[in-house]
Amino acid sequence: IVYLHGLAGMGKSALLNHFEQQSRASGFSVIALDCRTIEPTERGFLQAANGYDDLKTFLEYLETLAPPAVLVLDHYEVFRLMDTWTRQTLVPLLPAGVGLVLACRERPVAGWWGVEGFHELALRPLDESDALELLERRGIAAGEAVRLNRIARGHPLALVLASAGVLENPERGL
């Protein structure tokens, strides 16, 4: 179980998309759900997970997947009403060989620390060298990249938006 968290715009969804692509390319079975589109109930979860009527049927489906398999829940913060159900009902019943990745803007609640196999991964702003590399890859000159990063402070989305603004209107100052 991996619980990925960080501020909005830190790159959680981008990281998950890359993880999903790499997992599929490596032969993993991936079930990826966007919690923003799920009614935060057991029924809503099961419907989003391909229209299952009950948890038993969903778990039976998971058992048919060739391991390794992973269930990915992005934007988990809007699914927090289901956090106890996820942690206390779903997780203990997941078949062997099925992992769970949760991506959320908020830190995990304390109950997760008691779950066997739980790992937390916090995304933080980019350090200066990585931020400057990102800006330079986007076509920003080194001197301008330093100035943009002073404003964005390593926040990936802010860096991307600032670089897009500079590239679109290079004559405008910051």
Side-chain angles (χ1 to χ4, degrees):
I1 301 163
V2 176
Y3 193 106
L4 175 68
H5 65 91
L7 295 173
M10 280 295 138
K12 296 177 297 296
S13 294
L15 182 59
L16 282 185
N17 289 336
H18 183 73
F19 170 75
E20 290 168 26
Q21 290 172 1
Q22 293 299 312
S23 296
R24 285 188 175 103
S26 298
F28 282 45
S29 299
V30 178
I31 300 169
L33 302 174
D34 183 341
C35 292
R36 294 175 299 182
T37 65
I38 302 172
E39 174 186 301
T41 63
E42 181 177 348
R43 183 179 67 86
F45 171 80
L46 293 170
Q47 288 300 306
N50 210 15
Y52 293 97
D53 292 326
D54 56 49
L55 183 57
K56 182 181 179 211
T57 307
F58 175 64
L59 294 168
E60 288 170 353
Y61 166 71
L62 291 178
E63 289 177 0
T64 68
L65 299 176
V70 64
L71 174 60
V72 178
L73 300 179
D74 196 6
H75 300 283
Y76 187 69
E77 65 275 1
V78 298
F79 206 61
R80 286 301 273 266
L81 290 172
M82 291 295 292
D83 188 69
T84 301
W85 177 85
T86 303
R87 190 176 65 255
Q88 294 179 358
T89 302
L90 178 63
V91 167
L93 296 174
L94 288 175
V98 177
L100 175 64
V101 178
L102 305 168
C104 187
R105 290 181 181 178
E106 302 163 3
R107 295 180 52 97
V109 298
W112 281 106
W113 296 104
V115 175
E116 185 178 342
F118 175 77
H119 302 281
E120 173 190 25
L121 179 59
L123 291 186
R124 309 257 187 251
L126 300 174
D127 64 28
E128 185 172 14
S129 64
D130 289 337
L132 296 178
E133 181 181 339
L134 171 66
L135 291 168
E136 288 172 19
R137 283 184 180 188
R138 294 188 53 82
I140 302 298
E144 189 71 4
V146 170
R147 289 178 33 152
L148 288 178
N149 189 45
R150 268 194 227 124
I151 295 168
R153 298 180 182 207
H155 188 285
L157 181 58
L159 291 165
V160 169
L161 293 175
S163 65
V166 167
L167 293 171
E168 187 174 308
N169 296 302
E171 68 284 347
R172 288 192 176 178
L174 292 175

